[in-house]
Amino acid sequence: MTAPSRADFDRYMTPNYAPGSIIPVRGRGSRVWDQDGREYIDLAGGIAVTSLGHAHPRLVAALKEQADKLWHLSNVLTNEPALALARRLTELTFAQRVFFCNSGGEANEAALKLARRFAYDQAGSEKHEIVSTVGSFHGRTLFTVSTGGQEKYTQGFGPLPGGIRHVPYDDLTSAAEAICERTCAVIVEPIQGESGVRSPSPGYLAGLRNLCDRHQSLLIFDEVQTGAGRTGELYAYMRAGVVPDILTTAKGLGGGFPIGAMLTTEAIASSLVVGTHGSTFGGNPLACAVALAVLDELTAPGLLAGVSERATRLQQELETIGARHQLFAEVRGQGLLIGCELHKNFAGRARELMQALQAEGVLALIAGPDVLRLAPSLNIPLADLDQGLTTLDRVARDFVAG
Ligand code: PLP
């Protein structure tokens, strides 16, 4: 059989993605190799997922060890890795209860359903409204895509679930107008990732907390992208000093193995009585064993401090490159979630820049048409970071020169 090729994507797969021209076949640390053996520096991290790089020996060992023991039971029986992971997550965060699933979208679906159900139990069906923010991204299920604040993702998929209001991000006045006694929950990303790596003003998240408290609404932090160490804290809420009622986490939690989790308090979780929600694969032993190893690594001395060190270096160097070539209007973000907004002369050309980088051996991401996004592994070797930046400098020069 001939090796699969990029043309097979167009031939056999649904056309809802536009993958790059290369097919990586192997990865180690922050480097990957394609079918032709060409090497790339990975500054994309599988969209903020491979938090510890590719083929991390500790994660590979955890997966192999579990693979030899037990793969799947479903939730008719519980399993040791799930129990150990749930316990660890509660030790490390505000939460007392954990629900496992397989992705960020599913974690948010669970969070939104729980918020509705909790409000229903406490106050009846009138209290069902969800307040979300314009530009947010919460997943691709119909409920999460409707809650997300980007119309392009709901177009043509109606009728959509109702009872959802959208307010501008980072605008407490609008939030105060929308949040009322009918609000069961407010869902927000501590940093909006997909729509451009946008951090809110200091005080915004605390302001939402106050509004939620005033109206007995739950505050949901979608930390699917900001969580699992991405910002230099285990979860971004810890830096913000604002504790949510429900937190969703996925992406980096599994370091590349699919897992999602919804974290909450004992009181709120009590609404998810037997039979109200579930997942066949959620909490499966393989995923939980890997995530447990990820948490061990993330909480090992020095790892998160290393994120801040790398972030400072990356941000400074990106600002220098941006200014040198007049390419970036702004470099923003927290930790190793960084967005470089293109200067207005290059509006709409972020994808082109990303492709030019790939052609020169650097994998990067975009966040909307105007923002180059970088989300490397949290332990990326400094030499790899420097090599990626040197290439970016050269690509930026040629890009600007036309
Ligand atoms: N929430 C946020 C903030 C995200 O960035 C994403 C994915 O990009 C999701 C939810 C959806 O996660 P998944 O693709 O794992 O369903």
Side-chain angles (χ1 to χ4, degrees):
M1 204 175 88
T2 54
S5 72
R6 174 62 182 79
D8 290 338
F9 180 89
D10 301 329
R11 204 171 294 134
Y12 301 119
M13 292 181 70
T14 56
N16 52 312
Y17 302 115
S21 53
I22 57 153
I23 302 182
V25 292
R26 191 164 62 84
R28 181 153 288 268
S30 284
R31 291 175 188 245
V32 299
W33 291 268
D34 71 13
Q35 288 174 310
D36 299 326
R38 210 171 151 226
E39 186 174 278
Y40 299 81
I41 301 281
D42 186 358
L43 301 184
I47 322 191
V49 167
T50 49
S51 43
L52 297 168
H54 300 277
H56 188 286
R58 184 108 182 251
L59 307 196
V60 173
L63 182 60
K64 283 184 172 165
E65 193 186 326
Q66 189 58 42
D68 277 335
K69 283 193 206 162
L70 184 70
W71 285 28
H72 179 78
L73 293 162
S74 194
N75 291 294
V76 290
L77 294 168
T78 190
N79 67 77
E80 286 187 353
L83 296 169
L85 180 61
R87 179 174 173 168
R88 193 84 185 101
L89 283 167
T90 62
E91 284 165 359
L92 292 168
T93 68
F94 74 95
Q96 291 123 21
R97 293 289 184 270
V98 180
F99 168 79
F100 288 121
C101 50
N102 311 289
S103 67
E106 280 176 80
N108 285 325
E109 182 83 20
L112 296 165
K113 282 182 69 182
L114 172 56
R116 283 251 170 107
R117 186 70 186 221
F118 180 71
Y120 174 83
D121 290 346
Q122 303 288 310
S125 58
E126 279 288 292
K127 193 173 177 68
H128 67 264
E129 278 185 12
I130 289 156
V131 173
S132 176
T133 59
V134 175
S136 65
F137 185 78
H138 300 301
R140 299 287 199 152
T141 67
L142 200 59
F143 198 1
T144 55
V145 93
S146 306
T147 303
Q150 301 187 57
E151 262 169 42
K152 63 182 178 193
Y153 295 134
T154 50
Q155 222 163 38
F157 292 114
L160 305 174
I164 303 166
R165 300 176 70 166
H166 291 92
V167 294
Y169 189 64
D170 198 19
D171 179 344
L172 277 179
T173 310
S174 302
E177 281 164 14
I179 299 168
C180 63
E181 73 281 3
R182 288 189 308 281
T183 309
C184 70
V186 174
I187 182 167
V188 68
E189 293 167 81
I191 300 171
Q192 283 193 336
E194 293 300 300
S195 69
V197 190
R198 294 175 198 285
S199 300
S201 316
Y204 175 64
L205 298 174
L208 290 182
R209 177 73 274 174
N210 287 337
L211 288 167
C212 284
D213 289 346
R214 200 178 307 158
H215 298 285
Q216 282 85 51
S217 314
L218 301 183
L219 182 60
I220 304 171
F221 280 175
D222 176 348
E223 292 231 32
V224 169
Q225 193 152 161
T226 56
R230 181 58 42 195
T231 66
E233 294 281 347
L234 190 59
Y235 285 97
Y237 85 84
M238 296 167 174
R239 185 184 297 270
V242 178
V243 179
D245 299 297
I246 302 178
L247 181 149
T248 55
T249 176
K251 283 190 182 285
L253 179 62
F257 202 95
I259 184 167
M262 178 196 67
L263 279 52
T264 189
T265 64
E266 183 182 354
I268 295 165
S270 65
S271 279
L272 279 192
V273 295
V274 172
T276 45
H277 195 57
S279 157
T280 294
F281 291 118
N284 92 80
L286 293 168
C288 293
V290 175
L292 201 53
V294 169
L295 284 182
D296 281 347
E297 286 296 309
L298 291 182
T299 52
L303 195 287
L304 291 179
V307 173
S308 301
E309 182 195 346
R310 286 163 175 76
T312 305
R313 184 144 166 180
L314 190 55
Q315 290 241 11
Q316 277 170 359
E317 213 33 55
L318 289 168
E319 269 162 28
T320 306
I321 292 170
R324 185 181 296 135
H325 305 293
Q326 304 215 321
L327 179 60
F328 302 142
E330 190 185 13
V331 176
R332 57 181 180 240
Q334 243 177 44
L336 287 172
L337 178 58
I338 296 181
C340 308
E341 173 137 10
L342 299 188
H343 193 280
K344 62 180 180 331
N345 294 347
F346 304 101
R349 293 180 61 191
R351 180 174 293 278
E352 211 182 306
L353 179 60
M354 179 186 75
Q355 286 164 343
L357 279 165
Q358 184 190 295
E360 293 302 316
V362 172
L363 304 182
L365 300 164
I366 57 174
D370 303 325
V371 176
L372 184 77
R373 178 174 34 154
L374 303 178
S377 67
L378 306 180
N379 58 356
I380 181 171
L382 294 177
D384 290 5
L385 201 56
D386 288 345
Q387 189 179 330
L389 286 164
T390 304
T391 306
L392 175 59
D393 191 26
R394 182 163 39 82
V395 169
R397 183 197 63 202
D398 295 348
F399 187 79
V400 167

